[in-house]
Amino acid sequence: MGRGTDGAIVNPRAVAGVLVLAVIASGVVWFFGVGVPLSLAVGGVVAAVGLTWTAIRDGPSLAWPVPPVRSAPGARRDLSETAWALRSRGGVPERALARVRAVARRRLRTLHRLDLDDPDDRAAIEAVLPPAVVAVLRSERRPELDLAAFGTVLTAVESLAPLTDRTTTERQP
């Protein structure tokens, strides 16, 4: 007794054990005065429950697979966390600034082929972004950054576009 190629084969020893238990249960019920048809029904119920339990226990998991949670940079959750972080007192937290740095690095690399951490690219980056914004993005820690300055940095990073699409006057916030 088992399943075909679509699942695991049920253990024959477990099936034999369940059937022996069903016969014993049927005999015990008959011994205490229950009629033969009803004792056979009790044995059948014990066999059905036992075989079902054996198949479920030995078979594959019946739980739904949980898909992995993918969070793309800039997704709704990131924006929500950043918005809550900006409500704190004492300036903009480093975590929010680190996210802006990551976005700026990605945009500079993809749009202008510039590396924010490369000192040789600093002049070219300052041609695309204001020097004050570049100073904030390149500094390791900037705890005194207030919300207004952070808004300026966000606006500058958001307005990054290829050089062919922008004029010199549009680069200054």
Side-chain angles (χ1 to χ4, degrees):
M1 175 173 240
R3 286 188 251 173
T5 59
D6 61 333
I9 295 175
V10 177
N11 185 359
R13 294 181 92 184
V15 171
V18 167
L19 292 178
V20 168
L21 181 65
V23 169
I24 291 173
S26 180
V28 167
V29 170
W30 174 78
F31 179 76
F32 285 111
V34 177
V36 173
L38 192 57
S39 66
L40 291 176
V42 168
V45 168
V46 169
V49 169
L51 291 175
T52 302
W53 176 257
T54 303
I56 289 174
R57 185 189 61 193
D58 294 340
S61 175
L62 298 177
W64 287 97
V66 177
V69 177
R70 290 180 281 157
S71 180
R76 181 177 289 176
R77 180 177 175 178
D78 282 346
L79 294 175
S80 174
E81 287 179 3
T82 303
W84 278 105
L86 294 179
R87 293 177 183 250
S88 64
R89 295 183 182 189
V92 177
E94 183 62 29
R95 193 173 78 191
L97 195 54
R99 289 183 181 153
V100 173
R101 283 189 190 114
V103 171
R105 277 189 186 92
R106 192 175 316 111
R107 283 191 172 192
L108 285 169
R109 188 179 319 118
T110 58
L111 296 175
H112 301 284
R113 299 175 196 246
L114 297 172
D115 186 9
L116 185 63
D117 298 322
D118 188 7
D120 296 335
D121 289 344
R122 184 168 183 140
I125 293 172
E126 286 181 353
V128 176
L129 291 171
V133 172
V134 175
V136 169
L137 292 174
R138 288 183 53 97
S139 68
E140 288 301 318
R141 293 198 52 68
R142 186 95 177 192
E144 70 274 358
L145 191 67
D146 61 346
L147 285 177
F150 187 69
T152 304
V153 171
L154 279 178
T155 303
V157 169
E158 183 183 29
S159 65
L160 272 175
L163 284 175
T164 57
D165 296 345
R166 303 179 63 192
T167 62
T168 308
T169 57
E170 290 178 326
R171 285 189 220 128
Q172 302 300 325

